[in-house]
Amino acid sequence: MLKNYLKIAWRSLLRKKGFAFINIGGLAIGMAASVLIMVWIQFEFSVDSQYEKSDRIYSVWRTNINQGESITWNATPTPYATALQEQYPEVEAVTHVTEWDPMVLSVGENSFYEQTTFVDPGFFEMFDFRVLEGNPMEAMSSPDHIILTKSVARKLFGEESALGKSVTVESELEFEVKAIVEDLPENTNFKFTAFLPYNKLEAIGWTGNYWGNNNCRTFAMLKADSDLNSFNQKIVDFSLRNGDVQNTTDFLFPMSELHLKSKFENGKSVGGRIDLIRMFGLVGIVILLIACINFVNLSTAQSEKRAKEVGIRKVSGADRGMLIGQFLAESILISVAAYLLALLLISLLFPGFNQLIGKELKLPFNQPYFWVFSLGYVFLTGILAGIYPAFLLSSFKPVLVLKSRMSSAKSWFKPREVLVVFQFTIVAILIASTWIIREQMQFVQNRDLGLQTENLIFHPMTAPLKKNFSAVRSEVEALPGIVSVSSTFSPFTEEYSNTNTISWQGKEDAFMPNINRMGADAHVVKTAGLQLIAGRDIDVYTNASDSTAVLINETARDFMGFADPLGEIVKDGDREYRVVGVVKDFIIESPFANPEGIMIFGPKIQQNFIHIRLSGADLQTTLAQLGGIFRKFNPGSPFEYKFSDEVHAQKFASQQQTGSLTAIFSGLAILISCLGLFGLAAFIAEQRSKEISVRKVLGASVQGLVLLLSGEFTKLVLIAMLIGVPITWYAMSAWLEGFDYRIGIDWKVFLGTGLIALLIAFLTVSSQAIKAALVNPAKTLKSD
């Protein structure tokens, strides 16, 4: 029976090659898109949930209530981890994890900046990364050991074994390699390439017991019988009891959920990357549905042509169940053919897809689960696409169809029209959403940052550079392509330190605004391209007292409440600083957020970077000259600078990825819809060929006939727009609410979307309408 079903299905496909091509092509594109999305989603859910003890590993988070606003963050002070384990028997292991700038690792002439972290032995007890040599937990117990990843060990030592050999860190600290681990997998948010023991920081005095210095993250692993909710109730006031940190609550958050659900409001997870995953998961389903709708529409459109076939089979003894089986077999055969083509498309497009999402995913073709999934996926798609046509076609009565008395009564409800409306509603939503995302990106990218990132580079200050900074600065400033040089606490692309404990005269104790700390020695206004609106720049070389000077931005000036803040004293801990200037607000963190209060302190605060403003003339020569100077004063360390504008551009990566994915899947939805519309228009033109010929004989013009045939589809597109506009408005308004700096939704977006959708539909249908209108009426009517 099955063999017979497949044979009949195959013959049916061969008879209608054009419609088979449209069905298989549309389904293949829809399947390829949905499988690619599925592979990506599966990867996203695997991030940091692949560890053997994932269900017991947690990240420490804290929520602070300040001026009625809550801020949730995951940075902790050094004593936090030890105190947590000592005070609660439920805690099996803890670890500090630092996330600092890359450090220079050197072996002889080989020197590289590597993403290095300081951790405790508990890190490798929790996170079971593959160990190639040595014992990581033992290695992290001693302050003079280092763990390297496989790729870094090869960079430093070549093909020789690195175990037991010495590595110099930051040109001054010596460590012995005690373990080698495999490069960390793609599905982890840890991007470290070298590991140092946290107790080394304690040994050299880089840490302390001050609970106000949040210099690391803390992870904890609870014992197997521990309940998270009960434990979180116990530690809710942990920071208050141990460090007298006011208005702050503590809680653990599952490591396995951190990647997808790290957006917090009022101390509760309210989403995050999971929202993006859900959105594109829905897009993948919708694209597949659009492809299935093509099959349904084209199959039901041919119902009259297949009606006699159904009638003859029923007269010959076939029951309805057998006919349903035959039509479903045809549908599943198309689904199998489409999936084979989809696999080919996936193989060809996978490198580009990886580049688009910024990951190095692997094709899952060698995984048994994928083929089990594929079997069910193909079968389900075939059933989904074929179930309605199968029941419709098998319901025809032999007496009526064999006497050519198929009912053509008109009904207000036409399934084919409803499905076309659904398709173009989705198309309209995707087009409008892509348009709005693109406008939001352009709006933010054109934002005045308050500083000039072009031709501004920065470089980490290693110990030799700090020691010889006066000579370095003099030689750099002497170069013809240099405008200005400043040493700074942090780059002008990232927030390094913030506090709510800074005070000034007249400040109320209850008022604790969050202030971003920065630092500079001189010429920072000129170097960073800031806009000075009052007072002067910091210049410790001209005014020695400027080591205790401070520049503030407009936001800081406004909440301090001074009409003229120049000369006012601000206190940061036990240090006092005098305000010497006010600069226009500038953005160093999220370009989508409102400006924060910023204070740039004199060089009493530690200087970690050198910023250099280039003139822009003959950049390559200038950079080569800078490289020579840095190698002279910083031997054994690479000259690895960064352009501020390139770093700033990376902050748009996530939203640009969303925009690109939306645009691509919109294009696929349009393509699949057009394929279906093309096939449907071709069939309807063929079905109404005699009517078109009669109208032409009676004087109808080609233009009139084209408008007649296109008009029906135009009406459906307009209905789709009426449905799609409010849905898009609601969804994109909610998306834009996530940005402080955002556009309003312009009605012109929907007008443009409607015109695009109408144009797409008209061009798709008119090609078939013109073809039908140009046929000689005599050829069509000669049989009558």
Side-chain angles (χ1 to χ4, degrees):
M1 183 66 73
L2 179 61
K3 181 180 179 180
N4 186 50
Y5 285 164
L6 293 176
K7 185 184 295 184
I8 295 171
W10 178 251
R11 289 172 178 171
S12 177
L13 293 180
L14 292 179
R15 282 199 304 270
K16 286 290 184 180
K17 295 183 181 67
F19 291 115
F21 172 79
I22 291 173
N23 279 329
I24 293 172
L27 270 179
I29 294 171
M31 284 177 150
S34 58
V35 169
L36 285 173
I37 292 174
M38 181 275 294
V39 171
W40 176 44
I41 289 176
Q42 190 235 2
F43 166 81
E44 292 287 338
F45 273 97
S46 75
V47 172
D48 285 326
S49 62
Q50 77 276 23
Y51 312 111
E52 182 182 348
K53 302 171 184 176
S54 289
D55 59 331
R56 297 195 282 134
I57 303 173
Y58 302 92
S59 172
V60 172
W61 286 72
R62 298 187 290 170
T63 298
N64 177 264
I65 307 297
N66 184 14
Q67 307 297 312
E69 295 184 6
S70 68
I71 302 175
T72 301
W73 77 102
N74 60 357
T76 57
T78 291
Y80 198 106
T82 303
L84 190 69
Q85 187 169 24
E86 289 177 349
Q87 296 176 28
Y88 297 96
E90 298 97 324
V91 179
E92 183 175 321
V94 293
T95 184
H96 304 85
V97 176
T98 62
E99 295 178 322
W100 298 348
D101 291 297
M103 294 184 173
V104 179
L105 272 57
S106 305
V107 175
E109 297 297 320
N110 292 332
S111 296
F112 305 96
Y113 278 97
E114 297 296 339
Q115 194 62 56
T116 307
T117 182
F118 290 84
V119 300
D120 298 299
F123 182 87
F124 289 96
E125 183 179 355
M126 297 182 201
F127 307 111
D128 46 358
F129 297 118
R130 186 184 173 201
V131 180
L132 302 179
E133 294 183 83
N135 186 320
M137 292 181 63
E138 289 182 6
M140 291 296 96
S141 299
S142 170
D144 298 317
H145 293 165
I146 187 172
I147 298 173
L148 304 178
T149 57
K150 179 180 178 181
S151 60
V152 172
R154 284 185 176 176
K155 285 166 67 176
L156 293 173
F157 297 99
E159 295 301 320
E160 297 179 15
S161 173
L163 211 62
K165 293 186 171 63
S166 179
V167 174
T168 303
V169 177
E170 291 291 288
S171 304
E172 56 181 338
L173 299 174
E174 294 291 329
F175 294 90
E176 181 185 354
V177 179
K178 275 294 184 179
I180 307 294
V181 297
E182 186 64 80
D183 291 353
L184 301 195
E186 186 77 30
N187 61 337
T188 177
N189 283 318
F190 294 129
K191 302 304 177 186
F192 308 127
T193 55
F195 302 85
L196 294 170
Y198 196 82
N199 56 25
K200 182 66 173 182
L201 292 179
E202 298 169 340
I204 61 179
W206 285 12
T207 63
N209 293 320
Y210 177 48
W211 279 73
N213 182 19
N214 299 316
N215 62 349
C216 64
R217 295 174 67 186
T218 296
F219 294 89
M221 183 169 70
L222 300 185
K223 293 180 180 177
D225 58 348
S226 301
D227 178 71
L228 177 62
N229 292 328
S230 299
F231 187 78
N232 277 340
Q233 291 175 8
K234 292 181 181 180
I235 68 166
V236 67
D237 60 347
F238 184 75
S239 292
L240 177 64
R241 287 188 286 106
N242 287 273
D244 194 29
V245 182
Q246 302 292 319
N247 305 317
T248 298
T249 57
D250 304 66
F251 64 96
L252 300 186
F253 191 79
M255 182 71 178
S256 58
E257 298 181 16
L258 195 55
H259 176 67
L260 295 177
K261 301 178 181 178
S262 58
K263 180 182 178 182
F264 291 91
E265 291 180 4
N266 299 317
K268 302 292 184 183
S269 174
V270 294
R273 195 166 178 81
I274 188 66
D275 299 324
L276 180 69
I277 300 304
R278 287 169 179 160
M279 180 178 75
F280 281 106
L282 180 61
V283 168
I285 293 171
V286 166
I287 289 177
L288 184 61
L289 278 177
I290 290 175
C292 290
I293 286 171
N294 284 352
F295 182 89
V296 172
N297 278 343
L298 293 177
S299 297
T300 56
Q302 298 179 75
S303 58
E304 288 188 23
K305 287 199 171 186
R306 302 198 67 176
K308 289 187 178 181
E309 174 192 341
V310 171
I312 292 171
R313 290 185 180 279
K314 282 192 173 183
V315 169
S316 301
D319 59 24
R320 190 177 184 187
M322 294 173 64
L323 291 171
I324 290 173
Q326 176 198 318
F327 292 126
L328 286 180
E330 185 175 319
S331 173
I332 292 172
L333 183 61
I334 288 177
S335 181
V336 169
Y339 194 65
L340 293 175
L341 180 56
L343 293 178
L344 176 61
L345 291 175
I346 291 168
S347 301
L348 295 174
L349 299 175
F350 206 70
F353 183 71
N354 274 341
Q355 186 176 6
L356 179 64
I357 63 174
K359 302 293 181 184
E360 288 298 328
L361 307 187
K362 295 180 180 179
L363 283 169
F365 294 167
N366 62 341
Q367 300 294 328
Y369 81 87
F370 178 78
W371 297 108
V372 174
F373 161 81
S374 297
L375 184 64
Y377 182 67
V378 169
F379 184 78
L380 181 63
T381 302
I383 296 297
L384 180 66
I387 192 73
Y388 174 70
F391 275 87
L392 175 68
L393 293 171
S394 64
S395 67
F396 294 155
K397 298 185 182 301
V399 174
L400 296 178
V401 298
L402 294 177
K403 289 186 176 181
S404 300
R405 293 175 58 185
M406 287 285 292
S407 174
S408 59
K410 293 186 177 180
S411 170
W412 67 272
F413 177 79
K414 296 180 179 179
R416 280 203 301 273
E417 293 186 355
V418 171
L419 293 175
V420 170
V421 168
F422 174 79
Q423 280 184 312
F424 273 86
T425 298
I426 299 302
V427 167
I429 291 172
L430 290 174
I431 291 174
S433 298
T434 302
W435 193 326
I436 292 168
I437 291 171
R438 182 179 59 85
E439 288 202 341
Q440 170 68 4
M441 291 301 101
Q442 290 180 342
F443 179 69
V444 178
Q445 286 172 335
N446 294 330
R447 182 181 189 179
D448 180 8
L449 297 178
L451 53 85
Q452 297 173 10
T453 58
E454 300 84 0
N455 296 322
L456 176 63
I457 66 171
F458 61 94
H459 188 285
M461 291 267 276
T462 59
L465 288 175
K466 291 179 181 179
K467 181 180 179 181
N468 299 292
F469 182 69
S470 179
V472 172
R473 175 174 165 269
S474 297
E475 292 199 22
V476 170
E477 286 183 331
L479 295 177
I482 302 302
V483 175
S484 182
V485 179
S486 300
S487 68
T488 63
F489 168 66
S490 59
F492 275 86
T493 55
E494 187 177 352
E495 178 184 286
Y496 265 45
S497 175
N498 60 66
T499 180
N500 60 7
T501 61
I502 290 179
S503 61
W504 55 86
Q505 184 180 358
K507 175 183 175 294
E508 298 179 3
D509 292 339
F511 181 54
M512 301 175 69
N514 192 58
I515 296 172
N516 183 0
R517 289 192 191 100
M518 300 187 74
D521 62 343
H523 314 311
V524 65
V525 170
K526 185 177 182 180
T527 302
L530 305 178
Q531 299 178 43
L532 192 67
I533 57 178
R536 61 176 177 82
D537 197 355
I538 293 175
D539 188 349
V540 73
Y541 305 108
T542 303
N543 304 296
S545 61
D546 275 8
S547 62
T548 57
V550 62
L551 289 171
I552 63 174
N553 70 342
E554 293 172 294
T555 298
R557 177 201 62 188
D558 293 343
F559 61 58
M560 289 173 71
F562 294 116
D564 181 11
L566 299 181
E568 295 292 341
I569 302 298
V570 298
K571 294 182 179 180
D572 185 9
D574 58 355
R575 294 179 179 177
E576 292 187 352
Y577 297 86
R578 179 171 47 86
V579 179
V580 297
V582 181
V583 296
K584 183 179 178 180
D585 281 337
F586 58 97
I587 306 297
I588 62 171
E589 274 289 328
S590 170
F592 303 95
N594 290 325
E596 297 179 330
I598 298 176
M599 293 187 177
I600 305 175
F601 296 96
K604 261 195 174 181
I605 193 169
Q606 182 180 352
Q607 305 298 286
N608 300 315
F609 292 87
I610 178 170
H611 279 74
I612 303 172
R613 167 68 60 186
L614 309 175
S615 66
D618 198 4
L619 276 177
Q620 294 304 315
T621 299
T622 302
L623 291 172
Q625 293 170 335
L626 284 172
I629 294 172
F630 274 74
R631 282 187 288 273
K632 173 183 175 181
F633 291 100
N634 196 31
S637 296
F639 177 52
E640 292 190 4
Y641 56 87
K642 293 182 179 179
F643 278 95
S644 293
D645 55 349
E646 293 178 356
V647 176
H648 177 73
Q650 292 172 4
K651 297 176 182 179
F652 297 95
S654 177
Q655 302 306 329
Q656 285 177 331
Q657 181 190 85
T658 301
S660 298
L661 287 171
T662 305
I664 289 171
F665 290 126
S666 297
L668 291 179
I670 292 170
L671 176 60
I672 296 170
S673 297
C674 287
L675 279 174
L677 201 60
F678 180 86
L680 197 58
F683 186 83
I684 290 176
E686 180 185 350
Q687 192 179 44
R688 298 178 64 179
S689 58
K690 291 184 178 179
E691 175 194 341
I692 292 170
S693 297
V694 170
R695 288 180 179 273
K696 198 169 182 182
V697 168
L698 295 176
S701 65
V702 172
Q703 180 181 3
L705 291 172
V706 170
L707 291 176
L708 173 68
L709 293 174
S710 302
E712 296 181 13
F713 292 101
T714 300
K715 176 187 68 176
L716 300 180
V717 172
L718 289 174
I719 294 172
M721 283 301 304
L722 292 176
I723 298 171
V725 165
I727 295 174
T728 308
W729 186 287
Y730 175 80
M732 296 312 295
S733 294
W735 180 73
L736 288 170
E737 283 293 324
F739 307 108
D740 295 325
Y741 191 76
R742 59 180 181 265
I743 61 169
I745 299 179
D746 194 334
W747 61 269
K748 294 177 184 176
V749 170
F750 300 109
L751 176 61
T753 299
L755 292 175
I756 291 171
L758 285 171
L759 181 62
I760 290 170
F762 180 77
L763 292 176
T764 302
V765 174
S766 62
S767 62
Q768 291 301 308
I770 292 171
K771 179 180 177 182
L774 291 176
V775 172
N776 187 342
K779 290 183 178 181
T780 307
L781 299 175
K782 64 182 179 180
S783 61
D784 294 341

